[in-house]
Amino acid sequence: MSFVIRDQKNFWTGVLYIGFAVAVLLVGRGYNFGSASRMGPGYFPTVLAGLLFFFGLLALIRGMRKEGAPIGPIAWKAAALVLLSMAAFGFLLERAGLPISLVVLIVGCASASDRFRFEWKATMLAIGLILFCVLVFIKGLGLPMPVLGSWFGS
């Protein structure tokens, strides 16, 4: 049997997924696994890593069996915008609060797309997402995230 990569995108996506899954398993191996009825802190990451490994294996096999297009150029600007938006979210969360941090995250990540435009439908969807996150994470789950951060006297 010869080893031929026919679809670079699927093959390397599979390798990336498998790599992330192995990294999560290695980091989480010291956590207590528990059982399905009494989950420990290692249960959820281990199950997700197993699923990620499985999907990575499927993508890797598909990349060797089915013809596909080669990998195109890497969108460095878009990757940088997404990374900077996530870093800004982490920085602003305690200082400005969850809603403002989410605005920065959503607009920053959306602007990474070539098709990004400010439209009223997308703006209403973003506002709904922010309200949903505040209601679920702060009010519903009681996570210690400020609605207004330290910059606003909270």
Side-chain angles (χ1 to χ4, degrees), residues 21 24-25 28-29 31-33 41-52:
V24 168
L25 288 172
R29 69 180 176 207
Y31 296 141
N32 181 20
F33 187 76
Y43 189 90
F44 189 66
T46 302
V47 169
L48 282 182
L51 287 171
L52 191 59

Side-chain angles (χ1 to χ4, degrees), residues 18-93:
I18 290 170
F20 279 128
V22 169
V24 168
L25 288 172
L26 289 174
V27 169
R29 69 180 176 207
Y31 296 141
N32 181 20
F33 187 76
S35 66
S37 62
R38 196 159 167 82
M39 297 177 195
Y43 189 90
F44 189 66
T46 302
V47 169
L48 282 182
L51 287 171
L52 191 59
F53 187 88
F54 174 72
F55 288 125
L57 195 59
L58 289 178
L60 192 128
I61 292 169
R62 186 174 183 193
M64 292 189 304
R65 297 186 60 130
K66 185 180 175 193
E67 291 292 330
I71 296 175
I74 297 173
W76 291 110
K77 179 184 171 189
L81 278 170
V82 170
L83 282 172
L84 287 172
S85 298
M86 290 188 301
F89 173 82
F91 175 79
L92 291 172
L93 186 59

Side-chain angles (χ1 to χ4, degrees), residues 1-8 10-11 57-68:
M1 181 175 153
S2 65
F3 181 76
V4 178
I5 300 173
R6 297 174 194 262
D7 184 355
Q8 290 183 2
N10 272 321
F11 179 82
L57 195 59
L58 289 178
L60 192 128
I61 292 169
R62 186 174 183 193
M64 292 189 304
R65 297 186 60 130
K66 185 180 175 193
E67 291 292 330

